Amino acid sequence: MADRLARLSLAVERSVEGLLGGHHRSPRRGISVEFVERRPYVQGDDLRHLDWKAFARSDRLSVKRYEEETNLEATLVVDASASMAYPEAAPNAGTDAPLTKYDYACQVAMAIAHLVLRERDGASLALFDHVVDRVLPTSTSQGHLEVVGQSLLQRDAQGTTAFSAVLANLTERIARPGLVVIVSDLFGDLAELDAGLGFLRTRNHDVIVLHVLHADELRFPFDRLTRFEGMETNGRLLVDAPALREGYIEVINEWRAEVRQLCHRRGVDYKLIDTDQPLDVSLSAFLGARQARLGGRR
Amino acid sequence: MNFEFGAPAMLGGAALIGVPILIHLLNRRRYTVTRFAAMAFLQKAFAKRRRRLRMESLLLLLLRCLAVMLAALAMALPFVPTDSLLAALGGGARDLVLIVDRSGSMARRLPGGASVGERAIEALRNVVSRLSDEAGDTVTLITMGAADPLPVPIGARPSAVLEVLDAGLPAPAGRADMVEAARLLRDRVRAVRKSRLDVEVLTDLQALSWGEDVGPILAEVFDDGGGTLRIEDLGRQLGDTANRSVSALEASDALLLAGRAATFNATLVNHGDTIQRGVRGRFLLDGELRRQVTDIEIPARGSASVELRLRVDAPGPHHLSFELDADELPFDDTRTLAFETRDAVQVLIVDGDRAVDPLKGSAGFLALALEPALAGDDAAQPAGFTTQIVDPRGFEALGRSIESADLIVLANVGGLGAETLTRLHEVVSSGTALMVFLGDRVEPVSLGERFGTLLPAQVGALRGDPTGRGEQDYVSLVLPEPAPPELELFSDPRLAMLLQVPVLAWHELTPVDGAHVLASFADALGATTPAIVRGRVGLGATLLFGTTADDAWSLLPRQPPTWVPLIHELVSSLTRVDPATHNVPLGSAPALVLQGTPASARLLDPAGGVERIARPEVELIGHRSRLDLNATPLDEAGAWSLEIEPADASRPGEVIALAALPDAREGDLRRIDSATLEQRLAPVSFVMGERLDEDPDEAGSESGDGSLFRFLLWSLLVCLLGESLLARRMGGMR
């Protein structure tokens, strides 16, 4: 466990050095030092925000709005279902075991947590399969990174995926609008994913989907007669793999396009992460582009 | 569609068609197991492509099986009949062997008027004309039954064969022998044509042409390079026939003498299944009618004999023919016998103990038996022999004039001078017969040393008691079983009694190699020892009698009913010319012994044609010569003559009568049935052709050798290429 944590931390250290740091502006509006706008008063508005000076000048009730410059709360939602355990190591692989999607997802989560905590923002962690089975509360402590790492590594990838229930649950758990980073292979029902993302977005969360797929799943390089067995289902299929490659790639590309469109429709940032790519390469381009987009929108 | 296979054993390789299937099934059991996360997408992709994947997989399997099948088929060297549509796939030059039946039975008329032989030539021309010189096609033509079975060189160009056909082949007359044709194919054609041979036989399927060995011999031909056999049945339009033929014409007497009546017999055969009555025929001597015979009755599948008692006054060569009224197969309705009548047989007798009284000498009884007039009876009927008796000294004085004798008899001659013996050896070797009797002047050891190889037996110890007074029992002559032709007269039990005449003393005889015993001496207990031994020295016949020619040791000379016919038969057989020498099977060449050396010769055929032989090549044998007419075989049935002009102008010219005889069996027109044909041809497979039904104008080219090897090889390559592309498309599953 300690070794795994050390390796994970090392990988994350190397990766985050190239990533962008910076301020995170809160999407929450309220008490703050920086005025944003004035709007007509409606029943139910906090009377503390009434602009008395404006009322005196115009005899109209209006309410001041400010941008609150506060700590970001980033929730890292990591898929720990059985499909994330791909590729499975041979029984006697030892330290030569290949990097699984879950391993890679852990590195991604740790890297983002590292960035968030370095900015003194708050980071929390949720692991899920068909339910949210582990949640770390938000903390801005630098020591929290280690807690996150331990939580990630204590969990093995197993169980089936159910987005709707998981994301609905998280929506209820996360009190304030913040950043929700979902790290998953998204192997589940897309309608449920759509619904779950909808829940988050209605609570005004800024949602990022980091779609982790293994190179085998993207390019299907198998070259012989193979019996494929499902990791989350009991399905089996004996097939001449090269003969099915073209068809498989076509199907999975269609699915990826569908996922991308779904995220776009929900206003969710989407990034496909190929486990064959180094972590910093995968994240830096995405985060850089996101930073630029958010800055430009401002 | 009939397929033939050059190497049918390789068809067993087709069993390997199971190998791809087995590999396919084994491969289905050899797979890796992978737990895969994106299983849902895999299943979706599989569901979309299941049908196509299965089709491609099945197609791949079929291509692999097909490749094995094609390889096995190609190695089995398959062929189709060259007139088959598939033959065009073969390509390549054809090596065609055409065996055409030119036997006498092919002269039979078909319903349309043409003979079977003419239809065969027509079919032959059709086949050859479809071949091409330019394509490298070759034809080997074998004419069964003809004098020359290879009228064109082996592997000739088609145009050369057409030229020969245009010039015309000899009329059908010989006997077809498929075994002989197959041997020729194996021993001569196959020796120079190593490639695959397409053999086509054009025949009337006469049963007697198909011997039992034809199948194995053809199998040897086809095993060595491959080939096909096609049989064109040209006689299937023919119905049953009641053909009759003259199967034999021969003289009953060994010696035919001018002015003396002789008996001739013609044997007539009915090849049909019903009796034939009222058959008419006629004997002709040298073309002139001698006897008309009517109302001959020939039993079904049987024979009848017609006799002619004929006296020919003029010595010399003659032809006797017997003609039947013509039937649908004319070639066997006439048969000719060539023979020569002689004035007399010249016998030179050397008497080793000559006395004034002829009967006191050693040869007196012999001379009287040959020439009864010597006894002073002028009214005695001449026997056809003239004798000259000399003592040994007189014999030596005769010098080379002994060459004029037909037979030299040594009776009790103990010895001759070396020069005389040498001359005697030469004369006998060149064809003069020699007859030797023993006696008290003959010392066995000395005789063996002096006469050496002239004698057909070694002379051993004297047995018996010449005086007849001793205790030694006598012996008498007995004939071996069966009786030799020379003494067949005595094979009749009634005449055999005549031989029971005591012989009191005799020498033991041990025949030399090649000699045979004509009669033996048998004692009272039945023990036998050779008595009369016949041999041959060069062209001359030799005969040794184990006792005397007089009555010193034997009572035979004193028994005229025995002695005279015995001596006549022996002398006739020694001096006769074998009728087979001048009467030869159609298509063969006679070997003739001529007096002196010929300067030139003329051969006259039955139709009156003349072929001049300017410088006959002969083998000199003493004062005679032997002429082989190999270059001019007698290829037409009937009477032939050979006129010889001697090199020595002082000698008279010589005319020899010859006759070419059709094979008597050829008249049996029974056809072989399909089951027997298959049995005869086993293990070779064959196809029956239908050339008679073909319209030559509509028949296409037969270029292409009928071999599917190249086609299969290309198909195999295409199949493997397709398999490779499909496998690559499917992702390289192997």
Side-chain angles (χ1 to χ4, degrees), chain B residues 675-700:
Chain B
T676 311
L677 183 62
E678 283 185 18
Q679 186 187 353
R680 291 278 195 272
L681 286 171
V684 174
S685 56
F686 63 98
V687 292
M688 295 299 296
E690 296 177 347
R691 292 270 185 227
L692 280 179
D693 296 337
E694 284 183 0
D695 183 345
D697 295 331
E698 292 181 2

Side-chain angles (χ1 to χ4, degrees), chain B residues 496-513:
Chain B
M497 294 293 293
L498 294 174
L499 296 178
Q500 301 293 321
V501 177
V503 174
L504 305 176
W506 66 97
H507 277 280
E508 287 185 344
L509 301 182
T510 306
V512 299
D513 288 345

Side-chain angles (χ1 to χ4, degrees), chain B residues 156-470:
Chain B
R157 290 178 294 109
S159 59
V161 177
L162 286 174
E163 286 172 14
V164 169
L165 294 179
D166 290 340
L169 294 174
R175 193 174 91 76
D177 187 343
M178 262 308 291
V179 175
E180 277 302 311
R183 285 203 185 102
L184 189 147
L185 191 56
R186 180 191 62 188
D187 300 337
R188 293 185 58 186
V189 179
R190 182 47 98 189
V192 292
R193 309 302 296 181
K194 303 290 187 188
S195 60
R196 195 180 76 91
L197 294 175
D198 291 327
V199 179
E200 200 160 314
V201 185
L202 297 97
T203 176
D204 60 357
L205 283 181
Q206 192 180 13
L208 63 91
S209 304
W210 298 83
E212 289 189 352
D213 292 336
V214 63
I217 297 172
L218 285 176
E220 287 182 48
V221 173
F222 294 140
D223 285 347
D224 181 18
T228 59
L229 176 63
R230 175 187 174 118
I231 297 171
E232 300 293 340
D233 179 7
L234 299 170
R236 62 198 160 84
Q237 293 180 349
L238 297 168
D240 291 336
T241 182
N243 182 49
R244 56 179 178 263
S245 63
V246 186
S247 66
L249 177 60
E250 54 200 6
S252 302
D253 304 317
L255 277 179
L256 298 171
L257 299 171
R260 290 193 62 184
T263 302
F264 295 87
N265 282 295
T267 305
L268 314 179
V269 176
N270 175 9
H271 296 288
D273 292 324
T274 55
I275 187 170
Q276 292 201 24
R277 295 190 176 91
V279 177
R280 294 184 304 176
R282 62 209 63 85
F283 284 101
L284 298 98
L285 179 67
D286 298 326
E288 290 182 8
L289 179 67
R290 285 307 181 98
R291 185 189 169 199
Q292 184 88 31
V293 189
T294 57
D295 207 19
I296 307 169
E297 183 175 302
I298 315 174
R301 298 266 168 222
S303 63
S305 184
V306 181
E307 188 178 280
L308 173 68
R309 188 74 181 160
L310 179 68
R311 193 186 76 191
V312 182
D313 293 328
H318 298 281
H319 291 103
L320 180 69
S321 300
F322 185 82
E323 286 180 3
L324 282 170
D325 283 353
D327 56 17
E328 62 177 308
L329 186 62
F331 94 98
D332 61 351
D333 293 336
T334 301
R335 199 171 186 86
T336 301
L337 174 70
F339 64 95
E340 182 178 9
T341 51
R342 304 159 74 169
D343 281 326
V345 175
Q346 304 292 327
V347 181
L348 175 59
I349 301 172
V350 185
D351 189 340
D353 188 19
R354 193 174 180 197
V356 177
D357 183 352
L359 296 182
K360 297 291 184 185
S362 297
F365 287 97
L366 179 65
L368 282 175
L370 292 171
E371 202 169 2
L374 291 176
D377 182 4
D378 293 337
Q381 178 76 20
F385 305 100
T386 59
T387 58
Q388 180 185 2
I389 304 175
V390 294
D391 59 17
R393 189 165 297 174
F395 181 66
E396 290 180 355
L398 285 174
R400 301 208 68 84
S401 62
I402 65 172
E403 293 173 354
S404 60
D406 296 309
L407 169 68
I408 297 173
V409 180
L410 302 180
N412 197 18
V413 176
L416 292 170
E419 188 181 343
T420 305
L421 274 173
T422 303
R423 190 180 306 123
L424 179 63
H425 199 288
E426 286 178 5
V427 170
V428 173
S429 297
S430 62
T432 300
L434 174 68
M435 195 176 197
V436 178
F437 289 88
L438 303 178
D440 56 1
R441 289 179 178 250
V442 176
E443 200 282 312
V445 176
S446 169
L447 186 74
E449 289 173 354
R450 287 171 183 271
F451 286 83
T453 56
L454 271 175
L455 299 180
Q458 291 179 344
V459 180
L462 179 66
R463 299 294 181 194
D465 179 6
T467 64
R469 292 190 296 271

Side-chain angles (χ1 to χ4, degrees), chain A residues 32-283:
Chain A
S32 176
V33 292
E34 202 168 332
F35 171 76
V36 175
E37 62 181 353
R38 184 182 291 114
R39 65 169 173 79
Y41 170 79
V42 294
Q43 192 173 359
D45 279 345
D46 193 339
L47 292 178
R48 287 179 298 173
H49 297 159
L50 275 175
D51 188 348
W52 296 108
K53 289 180 181 176
F55 178 69
R57 285 196 302 270
S58 62
D59 201 20
R60 291 177 186 169
L61 287 174
S62 57
V63 179
K64 285 182 178 177
R65 297 192 66 201
Y66 302 88
E67 185 173 89
E68 183 184 29
E69 196 171 71
T70 181
N71 288 338
L72 172 70
E73 285 190 15
T75 305
L76 303 171
V77 183
V78 178
D79 184 353
S81 67
S83 65
M84 293 295 284
Y86 185 84
E88 289 185 331
N92 53 354
T95 55
D96 294 331
L99 193 69
T100 66
K101 286 191 289 182
Y102 183 67
D103 293 337
Y104 203 94
C106 290
Q107 291 182 14
V108 170
M110 285 285 283
I112 293 172
H114 193 283
L115 290 173
V116 169
L117 293 174
R118 215 174 69 172
E119 292 299 318
R120 303 188 186 286
D121 291 329
S124 66
L125 175 68
L127 298 178
F128 72 96
D129 43 42
H130 62 287
V131 293
V132 179
D133 68 350
R134 188 164 303 188
V135 177
L136 278 182
T138 307
S139 170
T140 58
S141 163
Q142 286 298 315
H144 191 57
L145 186 62
E146 188 175 343
V147 178
V148 169
Q150 285 174 343
S151 295
L152 287 167
L153 297 180
Q154 280 171 352
R155 174 71 152 79
D156 286 330
Q158 56 187 14
T160 56
T161 307
F163 290 116
S164 181
V166 167
L167 295 181
N169 181 281
L170 283 174
T171 305
E172 290 176 5
R173 283 174 181 255
I174 306 170
R176 292 172 53 198
L179 179 65
V180 177
V181 181
I182 301 171
V183 187
S184 168
D185 57 12
L186 302 181
F187 288 168
D189 185 9
L190 280 191
E192 287 190 11
L193 177 66
D194 189 25
L197 291 177
F199 296 148
L200 290 171
R201 290 296 292 150
T202 52
R203 293 297 178 92
N204 226 10
H205 293 299
D206 186 7
V207 183
I208 296 174
V209 170
L210 298 178
H211 191 183
V212 180
L213 287 176
H214 193 271
D216 292 352
E217 294 164 338
L218 288 169
R219 290 182 279 280
F220 204 69
F222 306 99
D223 62 354
R224 60 184 63 192
L225 188 70
T226 308
R227 192 179 79 190
F228 293 97
E229 296 179 350
M231 299 180 75
E232 291 188 25
T233 64
N234 291 327
R236 283 181 172 185
L237 183 62
L238 179 63
V239 68
D240 175 33
L244 200 57
R245 179 180 298 125
E246 188 184 337
Y248 169 83
I249 290 174
E250 186 181 313
V251 169
I252 203 160
N253 283 346
E254 285 174 3
W255 172 75
R256 281 172 49 201
E258 202 174 338
V259 170
R260 187 180 294 110
Q261 284 177 2
L262 185 154
C263 293
H264 180 71
R265 201 167 56 244
R266 289 291 182 187
V268 172
D269 275 354
Y270 170 85
K271 169 64 177 170
L272 173 71
I273 293 180
D274 180 351
T275 57
D276 262 8
Q277 295 289 320
L279 183 60
D280 54 345
V281 174
S282 297
L283 285 182

